[in-house]
Amino acid sequence: MDSSVSYREHPSYWNDFYQRGHAAAPRLPSQFAAFALGEMLTPDSPMGQIDGVIEFGCGNGRDSQLFAAHGLSVLGLDESIEAIGLCRVAGLPAHARFECCAARQAREAVEVFAEQHSRVAVYARFFLHAISEEDEHSLLALLQATLPEGAPLFLEYRTTADADQHKIFGESHYRRYLDHRATLARIAAAGFATVYEIEGRGFAKYREEDALVGRCIAIRNASLA
Ligand SMILES: C[S@@+](CC[C@H](N)C(=O)[O-])C[C@H]1O[C@@H](n2cnc3c(N)ncnc32)[C@H](O)[C@@H]1O
């Protein structure tokens, strides 16, 4: 294991999680996926109608599978091979693909997928807070370099005020609670114009946990950076 990375940030942690407890991980799509899907399929939205979605940190594939079930072509990426195994369920349509890949190594996969689709979106739920600051920086730089003008980013992450709240999955996950405003500023600095953002509760309720989250849709705009 890379000694600069703690066990909780390492793929072994997530491999153990998905191997041991995958029955406990939610299988139904998240509230954020339903929201994002509605935006992606709206024909007259400013981002145009999306035909392909790249999901970073797709976990067991529950959100990507929703997108695929609605006809969108999907590339789900996750560093955990156990998670990717759960994504590759029987009966997956040919337009849904899942790859074991760390975000920082996804450049070629993103470039190829973006070339093959006319309107591509990037989606990441509960991912930005699950990676280090350095990995976030690499991810934003990769998206800045590879996404075409007008491509939207859909992000949902835990914010600082969520740090002290009770967690269904306990304190063992690596969580880098994010300052919502500062996160939006980093996204803008990477050349993405925020067209929607909100911070609050009620967006990611799961059993007795109602996480405090930030959400945004940000569109690639080369004139910004
Ligand atoms: C909190 S889970 C979220 C899973 C899913 N998006 C959901 O909302 O159910 C974070 C996921 O990110 C993955 N992950 C963590 N660091 C990663 C990295 N650097 N590159 C790719 N995937 C990573 C983990 O394996 C895990 O599946």
Side-chain angles (χ1 to χ4, degrees), residues 9 11 14-15 18 26 30 55-60 62-63 77-80 83 101-104 123-127 129-131 135 173:
E9 288 172 77
W14 288 105
N15 280 335
Y18 287 112
S30 67
E55 179 175 10
F56 282 90
C58 62
N60 60 18
R62 64 196 182 119
D63 288 352
L77 302 172
D78 201 289
E79 197 174 19
S80 159
C101 178
R104 73 188 93 78
Y123 174 92
R125 177 191 180 270
F126 277 33
F127 179 67
H129 69 245
I131 58 175
D135 277 352
H173 289 3

Side-chain angles (χ1 to χ4, degrees), residues 23-27 31 62 125 168-169 204-211:
R27 293 292 324 190
Q31 290 170 249
R62 64 196 182 119
R125 177 191 180 270
I168 295 277
F169 291 112
K205 186 185 170 307
Y206 177 56
R207 293 164 48 190
E208 71 273 21
E209 183 182 340
D210 191 359

Side-chain angles (χ1 to χ4, degrees), residues 1 15 21 30 45 50 55 58 75 88 97 101 104 113 117 125 136 160-161 179 188 193 203 205 214 222:
M1 190 188 301
N15 280 335
S30 67
S45 91
I50 299 303
E55 179 175 10
C58 62
L75 174 63
R88 292 175 177 160
R97 204 155 55 79
C101 178
R104 73 188 93 78
F113 191 86
H117 295 85
R125 177 191 180 270
E136 179 199 294
T160 42
D179 179 288
F203 300 114
K205 186 185 170 307

